[in-house]
Amino acid sequence: MSSGTVGRSSGYDVEREVRERYAEGAAACESSLCCATTYDPERLKLLPAEIIEKDYGCGDPTRYVKRGESVVDLGSGGGKACYLMAREVGADGRVIGVDFNDAMLGLARKYQAEMAEKLGYANTRFVKGRIQDLALDLDKAQAVLAGGAVSSVEDLAAFEAACDRLRREEPMIETESVDVVVSNCVLNLVKPEEKAKLFDEIFRVLRVGGRAVISDIVCDEPPTESIMNDPKLWSGCVSGAFVEGDFLRRFADAGFYGIEILERSGEPWQTIEGVEFRAMTVVAHKGKQGVCLERKQAVVYKGPWREVRDDDGHVFRRGERVAVCDKTYRLMTNEHGPYGVQVIGIDPVHEIPLEEAELYDCSRRALRHPRETKGADYDVTTEADSCCGPDGCC
Ligand SMILES: C[S@@+](CC[C@H](N)C(=O)[O-])C[C@H]1O[C@@H](n2cnc3c(N)ncnc32)[C@H](O)[C@@H]1O
């Protein structure tokens, strides 16, 4: 095991503890569940007071969504993030909040009509599901149970088969269907043995080119046994916190690229038995998967480091023209992507049409000779442009 809470199980029912604690948090504000986050007061003006009050987040991933995007919020609680994002994405965007807690879903849904009225459009809905199983709509699974499908242990296999059919035929969140997955202080609450599945689910529902922006509690060293064995600390977003490096590694293991810390609070939120717990917000992108095609492109890493290495082991040395496939070229030169400001893209003089491009072996590291970019018989000579203006130089 690498570090942290990975693979460690507690001797209590984590999910029940979490469900009960947040049912109480939906009924009455519980200040010990909050980790102070500063919001622009202008953005909050639109929200009902109760939604602002019953905020159990630790960061603000909502600042990173854009107009027109479709967003899923994992563990949406009272709906604060969803309603903030409903405004950011606008009438053409949509927001889906996922939570497994009826009380929290009830609180969020209570203000749906009021918020639609204030915004002038309805683009937000709340669904009941476990965030580590985003295909299964728990309301639909409940309907199967209500139909009397399970009355003995012999029926369990039939119920599982019905759930599998729902996942396949009526998925709560479809594969590659959303632009952004956000979450605020929830991933830590998922049982250790289901955390890998959780990251796989985030990856599954994102479309190619999409991203995850996740705020959560992290710790600087693994929580002690006594922290792990305390159900109150678990439901209070402490025991299940990711060790910092492990948090970032989880995204890489699930297949993301361009993984970056956007925010990390300086002061710990809590220190328990010497272990520091603080908030961190991370962004991770989906899109490096797929076929590699040769179109004679190159990228130059600008610096300041002597060299950088991506998650697949490709090395980019400062100033070198590294040969890359078309997919990597587009990822690295996208000005809105994670690498855009760090690299210079070099196109061939004669573009190779996509349909004529051959397969490229991305596992080998090769430099792109300028003659390869320009063509072997390139012999253009040009006059130097004058850089002086009409009033002379300088
Ligand atoms: C700490 S609160 C955060 C709520 C909200 N994101 C906010 O910022 O106020 C955690 C929320 O996640 C929900 N939750 C915890 N584990 C979950 C799981 N495995 N699946 C779905 N929801 C979960 C809880 O019911 C609760 O509403």
Side-chain angles (χ1 to χ4, degrees):
M1 293 297 155
S2 53
S3 56
T5 59
V6 185
R8 285 213 249 155
S9 273
S10 40
Y12 47 90
D13 182 344
V14 166
E15 233 170 85
R16 205 189 64 203
E17 291 294 334
V18 170
R19 204 176 274 123
E20 288 175 358
R21 184 89 181 262
Y22 290 95
E24 288 164 19
C29 180
E30 205 193 314
S31 58
S32 66
L33 290 175
C34 308
C35 167
T37 307
T38 315
Y39 285 88
D40 174 356
E42 260 318 298
R43 296 181 69 216
L44 295 181
K45 272 189 184 158
L46 201 69
L47 302 189
E50 186 180 17
I51 296 291
I52 298 177
E53 201 177 279
K54 291 172 181 167
D55 167 9
Y56 301 120
C58 57
D60 181 14
T62 69
R63 293 193 287 122
Y64 302 96
V65 301
K66 296 192 280 258
R67 200 142 283 270
E69 288 186 321
S70 54
V71 189
V72 168
D73 179 16
L74 305 182
S76 43
K80 180 175 173 180
C82 289
Y83 290 129
L84 285 172
M85 292 187 295
R87 185 183 188 175
E88 301 296 334
V89 301
D92 295 333
R94 68 193 168 104
V95 180
I96 306 169
V98 180
D99 209 294
F100 67 6
N101 190 313
D102 286 323
M104 279 296 184
L105 286 166
L107 172 61
R109 287 172 179 155
K110 183 167 135 188
Y111 293 101
Q112 247 175 313
E114 180 182 324
M115 287 305 299
E117 171 101 40
K118 284 184 185 169
L119 289 166
Y121 50 82
N123 65 354
T124 306
R125 65 193 175 95
F126 296 94
V127 294
K128 183 170 175 179
R130 297 166 76 237
I131 62 171
Q132 59 272 49
D133 187 3
L134 291 169
L136 184 62
D137 185 321
L138 291 182
D139 282 326
K140 290 184 178 171
Q142 180 67 49
V144 173
L145 287 176
V150 182
S151 56
S152 69
V153 286
E154 283 72 30
D155 298 330
L156 281 176
F159 177 63
E160 260 313 313
C163 289
D164 279 344
R165 189 195 58 74
L166 284 173
R167 287 186 186 97
R168 228 177 21 252
E169 294 174 15
E170 300 171 52
M172 184 178 68
I173 312 286
E174 281 181 40
T175 300
E176 299 196 350
S177 63
V178 298
D179 298 309
V180 197
V181 171
V182 307
S183 185
N184 195 355
C185 217
V186 186
L187 271 51
N188 72 84
L189 294 169
V190 171
K191 315 193 241 203
E193 54 272 37
E194 296 199 335
K195 279 192 161 101
K197 184 162 182 265
L198 165 65
F199 282 84
D200 289 346
E201 276 294 83
I202 297 174
F203 190 81
R204 178 184 69 81
V205 301
L206 279 169
R207 69 168 178 78
V208 175
R211 63 197 184 283
V213 186
I214 310 290
S215 300
D216 221 311
I217 295 293
V218 294
C219 46
D220 60 348
E221 51 182 316
T224 61
E225 280 307 314
S226 68
I227 295 174
M228 289 294 290
N229 288 331
D230 184 332
K232 271 268 170 232
L233 286 180
W234 190 287
S235 58
C237 294
V238 173
S239 313
F242 296 91
V243 178
E244 293 184 23
D246 184 44
F247 187 36
L248 295 153
R249 221 173 1 255
R250 293 288 188 148
F251 290 97
D253 290 349
F256 286 94
Y257 77 96
I259 303 155
E260 198 178 340
I261 299 173
L262 295 174
E263 289 171 51
R264 176 187 180 276
S265 55
E267 281 302 306
W269 165 53
Q270 283 189 58
T271 304
I272 304 175
E273 298 176 27
V275 183
E276 291 185 355
F277 296 87
R278 54 170 50 77
M280 183 183 270
T281 301
V282 167
V283 64
H285 300 257
K286 174 172 174 176
K288 69 175 179 176
Q289 292 69 24
V291 67
C292 298
L293 296 173
E294 167 66 301
R295 296 181 80 197
K296 304 283 184 202
Q297 296 128 318
V299 292
V300 176
Y301 167 55
K302 292 199 260 183
W305 307 106
R306 178 191 292 215
E307 66 177 40
V308 291
R309 183 184 294 265
D310 72 12
D311 286 297
D312 300 317
H314 303 123
V315 174
F316 300 89
R317 298 207 176 98
R318 186 174 53 214
E320 279 184 358
R321 287 169 165 241
V322 179
V324 288
C325 74
D326 181 60
K327 175 169 55 76
T328 305
Y329 180 83
R330 282 184 283 110
L331 291 183
M332 295 193 78
T333 57
N334 175 2
E335 59 177 315
H336 304 296
Y339 309 126
V341 294
Q342 298 177 28
V343 299
I344 298 162
I346 299 181
D347 275 315
V349 169
H350 301 293
E351 190 178 289
I352 299 174
L354 203 53
E355 57 281 8
E356 288 172 24
E358 293 182 358
L359 288 177
Y360 181 82
D361 177 8
C362 249
S363 64
R364 71 190 170 89
R365 183 176 188 278
L367 299 184
R368 187 77 81 194
H369 192 283
R371 280 284 153 193
E372 212 183 338
T373 310
K374 293 181 290 190
D377 48 6
Y378 184 82
D379 68 347
V380 172
T381 303
T382 59
E383 291 289 316
D385 272 349
S386 169
C387 51
C388 299
D391 303 328
C393 291
C394 311

